[in-house]
Amino acid sequence: MRVRIAAVALLLGIAGLLRAQETSWISRTTQAVSRKLTTPSRIFDTTYVFQLSKPWLVSLNGDLIWSGVTLDSDITFAAEGDKLRLSKQLGNNYFKKVGAGVAYGSLQFSYTLEVARSKTQPNRYFNISFVRPSFGVSVQYYDLHEYLNGQLSSAWLDEPIELASSAPGHMRQVIIDGFYFFNPSHFSYKAVTGRQLIQRRSAGSWMALARYMQEEYRDDLNEQSLDLWFDYIGHYRIHAFSLGAGYSFNWVPLHRNAVEVGRPLQGLRNLTFNATLVPYVSLFNSVATAQHHQAGTPEATEGPLVPSHKAFLPTFNVTARAGICFSWNHFVLSAVVVGDRYTFRNLQAVSDGFETTNSGLFYDLTTQMAFGYRF
């Protein structure tokens, strides 16, 4: 009996020790991550950039988006020398979205959902970013359902054939941006978003950008208006890598320091404007396409994705941002306008006897408005 009691006591003691060690490890890891996200950087010149004592920011967000996609397939028939172009446009509409965001120190997450949607599924968007004084990473995800318009044209057609889809197409896009700032001591890129940093004096910085984009677009297999008398390309998958450099500037016409004694952030007044322009070159565009066979019929099928054989055709693109942020004690009101224009082009042999040049244009102009509270 004594042996059993001793064994049980030993097991309970080991279990308690393991729980204590696990709790201690979780606690240490949590504290280390929290310090990493919120500890003021030694890089800052505090006469220009100041980090607030309140790391949390919660916000209600509203977005207005104007975006569109154009996908062109130029088919050249080797024997006849004829050319045929199928041009498709997705979107070119205004979207209204509402959502929420939360930020803790250097980390921020936001999610928005389209409102007033009746014909198709609502479009969705989320963003997560990690921004330190000298570098940052941002991940954006778009999920769009839109009806398609198209045009078929050729020299041997009397006039272009206008096309309109009866079922929405589906597009998903992931954009990963990595950026580096060359003047982190005097400039804060995230000051205009109302997060933990405040720009006290006007300053700017040159910046470098690396961007990876993955996009996938697929027509509905029930769609028959675009099929006509040939099997058209109904599925695109695009991978692109780009490099660029530009400049970002914060103008601060109003700043009043907070009274940190007794009531932190009380008395804080700050108005900051930002303007950013970053041209970049897309160095790699890999496009895989698949054909839809007998679309709109019970026998509808999708062929295999065929990768492009010439992906290194550089294109010039640009991204720009303009924003305003007003801080009043704990409250933040911000509006940021972001514009993106991205093009791609490559060559692809679809089958013997003809070659296809795929090209496209993706563009959007997004106004992001937020009302937040720091604590």
Side-chain angles (χ1 to χ4, degrees):
M1 178 64 69
R2 293 179 179 178
V3 174
R4 292 179 180 176
I5 294 175
V8 171
L10 179 60
L11 291 175
L12 291 174
I14 293 174
L17 179 61
L18 291 175
R19 284 196 300 270
Q21 290 179 345
E22 181 181 359
T23 303
S24 177
W25 179 84
I26 294 175
S27 177
R28 289 197 304 270
T29 302
T30 303
Q31 291 175 3
V33 172
S34 178
R35 286 194 300 269
K36 188 67 175 178
L37 294 175
T38 61
T39 300
S41 174
R42 297 179 182 179
I43 297 177
F44 293 144
D45 179 346
T46 55
T47 60
Y48 282 85
V49 179
F50 178 70
Q51 182 163 320
L52 300 175
S53 60
K54 301 298 182 180
W56 287 98
L57 171 71
V58 293
S59 63
L60 296 176
N61 302 338
D63 294 351
L64 296 176
I65 302 174
W66 178 63
S67 67
V69 179
T70 299
L71 301 171
D72 294 327
S73 296
D74 293 307
I75 303 172
T76 302
F77 298 91
E80 299 84 359
D82 292 332
K83 291 186 178 181
L84 182 72
R85 162 168 281 202
L86 177 61
S87 180
K88 300 188 289 186
Q89 294 82 39
L90 177 75
N92 196 21
N93 292 315
Y94 288 97
F95 309 124
K96 299 179 289 294
K97 297 184 180 183
V98 295
V102 61
Y104 181 73
S106 301
L107 190 66
Q108 184 176 34
F109 174 82
S110 64
Y111 177 85
T112 56
L113 180 68
E114 189 176 3
V115 295
R117 193 69 164 175
S118 59
K119 293 184 179 180
T120 67
Q121 299 182 39
N123 296 323
R124 295 175 174 85
Y125 164 81
F126 82 79
N127 170 269
I128 184 169
S129 62
F130 176 78
V131 182
R132 295 294 290 171
S134 58
F135 69 93
V137 178
S138 172
V139 179
Q140 303 172 67
Y141 175 77
Y142 297 85
D143 189 354
L144 306 177
H145 297 80
E146 287 299 322
Y147 284 88
L148 195 72
N149 295 313
Q151 186 181 80
L152 184 69
S153 59
S154 176
W156 42 268
L157 288 175
D158 293 334
E159 58 183 21
I161 300 175
E162 300 294 333
L163 308 169
S165 63
S166 58
H170 183 201
M171 185 180 77
R172 290 177 294 184
Q173 184 184 65
V174 177
I175 299 176
I176 303 175
D177 287 337
F179 31 87
Y180 181 82
F181 305 101
F182 293 90
N183 186 21
S185 61
H186 293 160
F187 172 81
S188 172
Y189 187 69
K190 61 181 180 179
V192 78
T193 61
R195 288 154 73 175
Q196 200 179 1
L197 295 179
I198 294 291
Q199 186 83 41
R200 282 176 162 171
R201 293 185 178 180
S202 301
S205 175
W206 290 100
M207 60 183 293
L209 170 71
R211 167 170 290 187
Y212 168 76
M213 188 189 79
Q214 176 183 329
E215 179 143 343
E216 185 165 10
Y217 170 78
R218 177 185 277 116
D219 289 333
D220 194 312
L221 272 176
N222 294 320
E223 173 57 50
Q224 58 182 343
S225 63
L226 298 179
D227 195 9
L228 299 175
W229 39 267
F230 67 97
D231 292 328
Y232 74 101
I233 295 175
H235 185 184
Y236 288 80
R237 182 178 293 168
I238 302 166
H239 298 270
F241 178 72
S242 308
L243 291 175
Y247 193 78
S248 186
F249 183 77
N250 285 339
W251 176 49
V252 184
L254 171 66
H255 177 75
R256 183 192 302 171
N257 290 327
V259 180
E260 294 286 347
V261 180
R263 301 178 64 185
L265 303 188
Q266 189 67 25
L268 173 65
R269 305 289 187 271
N270 182 272
L271 179 63
T272 299
F273 294 86
N274 173 265
T276 303
L277 180 65
V278 183
Y280 62 95
V281 177
S282 180
L283 302 174
F284 176 79
N285 297 284
S286 173
V287 180
T289 60
Q291 292 174 287
H292 283 184
H293 306 287
Q294 299 181 344
T297 69
E299 294 78 22
T301 59
E302 179 178 295
L305 280 169
V306 180
S308 59
H309 70 272
K310 289 186 180 180
F312 295 94
L313 296 177
T315 58
F316 179 80
N317 302 290
V318 65
T319 182
R321 183 181 84 159
I324 178 174
C325 179
F326 180 64
S327 298
W328 180 287
N329 299 338
H330 288 263
F331 298 98
V332 182
L333 182 64
S334 65
V336 179
V337 180
V338 180
D340 267 303
R341 180 187 182 275
Y342 170 77
T343 59
F344 74 87
R345 179 177 179 270
N346 67 12
L347 301 178
Q348 179 180 45
V350 177
S351 65
D352 294 335
F354 63 93
E355 186 178 62
T356 300
T357 300
N358 294 308
S359 60
L361 168 64
F362 306 97
Y363 58 90
D364 69 82
L365 186 65
T366 302
T367 301
Q368 303 167 336
M369 296 165 287
F371 177 72
Y373 181 81
R374 296 187 181 103
F375 62 95

